[in-house]
Amino acid sequence: MPKSTRALFAAVATLALSGCVTAVPTTVAGPNPYPAPPAVQVETVPPPPVSGDSLIWQPGHWDWTGTAYVWTAGQWVSRASHGAVWQQGYWTVVNGVWTWVPPHWA
């Protein structure tokens, strides 16, 4: 694939994924009502299911419900394509706001 095509694909993928970011405000008047996400839970990775697809383990993560964090368990997912690299999801602070960056294929 030519470099220009790969660059265009990367730009489109980045724009598509940018709509998946969840923001949780951390700066409001008074005490902060939104705590930092809890530590990631330790998971026992089960054997992958029988599948014709190439699978990769997607670890669990905390989701914000609007009032509390809830744990979403890990799962096996199909690999996007040969050579695709899995980017784990993670919580980070952006401009004083806790932001979930969802997992995705890069």
Side-chain angles (χ1 to χ4, degrees):
M1 176 183 312
K3 285 185 181 181
S4 60
T5 303
R6 280 186 272 166
L8 177 61
F9 176 76
V12 170
T14 301
L15 287 173
L17 289 172
S18 67
C20 299
V21 173
T22 302
V24 179
T26 60
T27 52
V28 294
N32 186 347
Y34 303 105
V40 174
Q41 292 187 5
V42 175
E43 293 183 293
T44 300
V45 179
V50 175
S51 173
D53 294 339
S54 177
L55 302 174
I56 189 166
W57 177 252
Q58 174 183 326
H61 62 275
W62 291 105
D63 280 322
W64 179 253
T65 66
T67 57
Y69 288 99
V70 293
W71 181 254
T72 298
Q75 62 183 343
W76 288 98
V77 296
S78 295
R79 184 176 295 278
S81 66
H82 181 70
V85 177
W86 181 250
Q87 171 64 52
Q88 305 284 29
Y90 58 94
W91 285 96
T92 187
V93 177
V94 177
N95 297 325
V97 177
W98 278 105
T99 303
W100 171 247
V101 178
H104 60 276
W105 292 102

